[in-house]
Amino acid sequence: EGSLTTSYTIARHFRVWRYGVGHMTLMLRSLAASDDDETVDVWFDGVAAMNLHQSFEPLTIRAANPEERRTLLDASAGDIFPPNRPFTLCLILESAQPDGFVVCAHVRVVASPGGKPGGPDEQGPDAERLLWAAGPTGNPRQPLGYRLYEAGEHA
């Protein structure tokens, strides 16, 4: 089973690639630099609130500390989620710029072969490799889980 880690750092350039209001999804993308490289996408699902820059380099995604969590839920998502909802992710996006944040239900970081014609959007889910993910666990004692996936491991 993958390691429990509440943060993940990727030393690449990411930019806001897609946001779907209706489906409450947000994607940050780091394009492949060559045919042998991978495109890395960060998918946030169930997005309730966010504060983003156009780009992040490097990108660290980390769980908000209890004080940051209270502030984000009270100020940003109080009208959407109950403020004490334990299974809402409050994530801080650290970079060279001032920090951003995303309040969401799930996040996953996936790598896809990047040099293929059409890009990873057209290659299908089988081409993706899960690197890191976080979301609700279903366990009331530990409502949120954060997992680092090892090479070849599947969710």
Side-chain angles (χ1 to χ4, degrees):
E1 184 164 313
S3 309
L4 180 68
T5 176
T6 58
S7 69
Y8 188 69
T9 299
I10 314 160
R12 294 177 62 139
H13 178 84
F14 283 85
R15 66 184 193 153
V16 176
W17 195 262
R18 180 182 301 160
Y19 176 63
V21 176
H23 292 107
M24 299 185 330
T25 58
L26 166 69
M27 184 179 70
L28 306 180
R29 175 168 280 177
S30 176
L31 292 171
S34 69
D35 288 352
D36 297 331
D37 196 7
E38 294 178 306
T39 293
V40 178
D41 294 331
V42 182
W43 286 95
F44 301 90
D45 301 311
V47 175
M50 65 184 147
N51 180 21
L52 302 172
H53 301 284
Q54 278 296 320
S55 63
F56 298 86
E57 185 178 1
L59 173 64
T60 296
I61 306 165
R62 71 167 174 83
N65 65 40
E67 183 178 326
E68 291 168 326
R69 182 177 172 76
R70 267 190 308 278
T71 300
L72 291 177
L73 286 174
D74 289 346
S76 301
D79 293 336
I80 299 169
F81 295 139
N84 295 325
R85 183 175 160 176
F87 48 86
T88 301
L89 292 172
C90 293
L91 302 168
I92 305 299
L93 306 181
E94 296 177 340
S95 189
Q97 301 84 358
D99 295 348
F101 70 82
V102 177
V103 177
C104 63
H106 301 94
V107 62
R108 67 191 187 284
V109 180
V110 296
S112 304
K116 307 262 191 268
D121 286 340
E122 297 177 17
Q123 292 175 19
D126 292 340
E128 291 182 347
R129 185 169 56 88
L130 186 61
L131 303 175
W132 185 79
T137 65
N139 178 352
R141 290 193 177 124
Q142 183 182 349
L144 298 174
Y146 301 84
R147 285 200 55 209
L148 176 64
Y149 290 87
E150 306 300 331
E153 183 182 10
H154 298 287

